[in-house]
Amino acid sequence: MHFYIMTLFPEMVMQGLDTSIIGRAMSKGLLSIEAVNIRDYAFNKHNSVDDYPYGGGAGMLMQAEPVYQAYEAVMNKISSGESAPAPGDTAGSKRKRPRVIYLSPQGKTFHQDMAEELAEEEELIFLCGHYEGIDERVLEEIVTDYVSIGDYVVTGGELPAMIMVDAISRLVPGVLHNDVSAEFESFQDNLLEYPQYSRPEIWHGKQVPEVLLSGHHANVEKWRREQSVIRTARLRPDLLEKAELSEKEREIAKRFQKL
Ligand code: SAM
C-alpha cells in the first residue's frame, strides 16, 4: 500500500507516522508513506504558496498551481512505477487512477467502514490544506473524496491525514503483529469492543471476571459478546440501530440503555 501525502509540513507527517507499528510496517516494506512538499512547487521567487482570497475575508488561501504541480509529480511517479510494489502487487502501471482525498471539515465524516474500504486501494493520495483552505478550482480538478475527521476545525490537514493513514494501515495484512487483533474491534458489527484484562488477577481489590480464567472458550465468547452489547448500549446507543442483535440481546441493550 502506498500513501502520498501532499502537505506544506512534510516533517510533521513523517515524524508522526514513522514510529511504532506503522514505522515497523514501513521498514518491512508492507507500506510506503511519502510526504510531498507542496512548497517545492511554488512558482514565484518568494517561494510562497498562499495568497489573499478574492472578495476579501480573513486569512490566506493555498493557491491552485503549486497544489496541481505537486499532484502531477505524484501521478508521474505512480505511472512511472517509481513506488516499490507492495507484496503481491502485480497490477503495475495498469492501475486505475488513485483516489485523492482532501482532508476537509466539510467532508464526509471518517469512520471504520471507510477505513476498511480505503484499505483495499493500492495507492492513496492525501491533500492537506492549511490557512483558510485551498483554491476551489484545483479541488474540482483533482479531488475524488472529501473527508473530515469530525465536526470541528483544526489548523491543517496534517493531523487528519495522519489519523486516516494510521487507521487504514493497521488493516493492511501483516501490519499488526497478530492479524487476529484487527478481527474484532470496536465498530465491527456496529458494536464496541468488550472490556479486557491482563495480569495480575486482582488489582486494587478488583478481580478479573471469573469466566475469563475458566479456559472455556465458548463461555468466554458468549460473555464478550454480551459485554459488547452492554457497553455499546451505555456508551454509543446510536450504533445499535444498525447492529444485528438477537431478541435476547435487544432486551439486554434496552435494559442498559435505560441505566
Ligand atoms: N476555512 C475552512 C472551512 O471553514 O471549512 C477551514 C480551513 S482549516 C483552518 C485548514 C485546513 O485544515 C483545511 O483546509 C483542511 O485541510 C484541514 N482541516 C481542518 N479541520 C478539519 C477536519 N475536521 N477534518 C479534516 N481536515 C480538516
Side-chain angles (χ1 to χ4, degrees):
M1 176 108 194
H2 306 292
F3 296 102
Y4 297 89
I5 304 175
M6 299 197 289
T7 169
L8 291 176
F9 300 95
E11 313 78 30
M12 175 180 176
V13 167
M14 291 315 292
Q15 283 169 12
L17 289 170
D18 194 11
T19 48
S20 183
I21 295 172
I22 308 302
R24 264 200 310 272
M26 282 164 69
S27 322
K28 282 197 212 156
L30 296 166
L31 307 170
S32 74
I33 303 175
E34 188 177 333
V36 178
N37 192 346
I38 296 171
R39 202 174 293 282
D40 289 347
Y41 301 91
F43 55 95
N44 58 40
K45 60 178 188 307
H46 307 293
N47 237 13
S48 69
V49 290
D50 57 325
D51 210 333
Y52 294 98
Y54 281 121
M60 304 292 274
L61 210 57
M62 286 168 67
Q63 291 168 289
E65 187 61 14
V67 172
Y68 190 70
Q69 290 302 327
Y71 165 75
E72 288 271 86
V74 171
M75 291 302 284
N76 285 338
K77 235 177 224 187
I78 291 172
S79 55
S80 70
E82 198 182 288
S83 36
D89 170 10
T90 50
S93 57
K94 278 183 249 136
R95 287 180 215 128
K96 63 180 168 47
R97 181 178 171 248
R99 285 164 81 167
V100 179
I101 297 166
Y102 176 44
L103 286 313
S104 164
Q106 302 175 18
K108 221 171 151 186
T109 309
F110 187 50
H111 52 72
Q112 191 67 16
D113 288 351
M114 203 191 285
E116 278 165 26
E117 186 209 316
L118 292 170
E120 302 289 319
E121 301 287 328
E122 296 290 347
E123 284 113 1
L124 285 172
I125 302 174
F126 291 88
L127 172 58
C128 306
H130 227 85
Y131 317 118
E132 281 312 306
I134 302 180
D135 188 311
E136 193 65 25
R137 293 166 295 182
V138 69
L139 300 178
E140 285 166 8
E141 288 208 11
I142 69 172
V143 172
T144 59
D145 301 75
Y146 291 73
V147 182
S148 165
I149 54 159
D151 287 349
Y152 45 85
V153 178
V154 294
T155 53
E158 286 72 18
L159 287 171
M162 286 157 73
I163 287 170
M164 285 190 68
V165 169
D166 186 297
I168 296 164
S169 295
R170 62 198 299 288
L171 300 171
V172 171
V175 169
L176 295 184
H177 264 320
N178 174 1
D179 277 348
V180 176
S181 41
E183 218 169 67
F184 184 80
E185 283 194 309
S186 294
F187 306 113
Q188 216 161 320
D189 302 335
N190 288 295
L191 292 173
L192 300 181
E193 196 182 52
Y194 42 80
Q196 304 224 55
Y197 305 86
S198 183
R199 282 189 287 186
E201 269 182 46
I202 301 174
W203 181 83
H204 280 203
K206 291 167 190 246
Q207 165 80 50
V208 171
E210 207 61 50
V211 63
L212 299 180
L213 309 172
S214 67
H216 194 301
H217 190 66
N219 284 353
V220 170
E221 287 309 304
K222 197 165 155 252
W223 181 86
R224 285 182 166 167
R225 170 83 188 181
E226 194 172 297
Q227 291 299 315
S228 280
V229 173
I230 293 172
R231 183 159 276 209
T232 313
R234 276 186 171 156
L235 300 176
R236 287 291 306 274
D238 56 301
L239 290 176
L240 288 176
E241 281 163 34
K242 285 199 244 148
E244 276 189 35
L245 300 183
S246 68
E247 208 42 53
K248 190 174 164 226
E249 286 171 342
R250 285 248 164 250
E251 274 169 30
I252 296 172
K254 256 192 219 146
R255 202 160 4 108
F256 280 90
Q257 243 169 299
K258 280 189 201 136
L259 292 180

